[in-house]
Amino acid sequence: MDATGQSSRVISRAVTLDEADLKQGDEVRVEPSFKLALEHFPQQEVRDYYLEEVPDIPWSKIGGQEEAIRVIRDTIEHPLLYPELYDPGSPSAR
């Protein structure tokens, strides 16, 4: 998805990118009309985007996100902690 909400688009390369080896997943900087690619940013290794070790952070350390926390708890945490409440065959789910 690009910045204008299009699922795909064809753009031309600037002369400086004629020799660039562009691959699917690479990022490019485009000029404001989204018709010409100006700069190439090769795709980085996926490991660059993830933490090696996920820190254990309690909900109390996350400030200003009460609504987001409630949604996460209601949709992810509670069904895992209380599966019987979400089982349609369970008496407690009725």
Side-chain angles (χ1 to χ4, degrees):
M1 181 88 55
D2 70 10
T4 63
Q6 300 291 321
S7 60
S8 65
R9 86 174 38 242
V10 176
I11 60 175
S12 299
R13 295 179 187 212
V15 174
T16 55
L17 293 181
D18 279 345
E19 301 298 319
D21 183 24
L22 297 174
K23 293 183 175 70
Q24 183 176 354
D26 287 355
E27 295 182 14
V28 293
R29 183 170 55 91
V30 295
E31 48 81 40
S33 71
F34 296 98
K35 294 181 180 177
L36 186 66
L38 302 173
E39 190 175 357
H40 174 230
F41 303 100
Q43 185 176 18
Q44 295 186 5
E45 294 289 325
V46 174
R47 64 188 159 105
D48 291 346
Y49 294 108
Y50 297 98
L51 296 173
E52 292 285 329
E53 196 172 307
V54 178
D56 189 21
I57 300 174
W59 290 119
S60 60
K61 295 273 187 182
I62 303 172
Q65 298 296 321
E66 288 76 19
E67 180 62 19
I69 291 170
R70 186 190 63 73
V71 170
I72 290 169
R73 290 188 116 158
D74 288 349
T75 57
I76 297 172
E77 188 177 272
H78 287 160
L80 292 172
L81 293 174
Y82 312 105
E84 68 280 359
L85 296 176
Y86 298 89
D87 179 9
S90 170
S92 59
R94 295 178 188 167

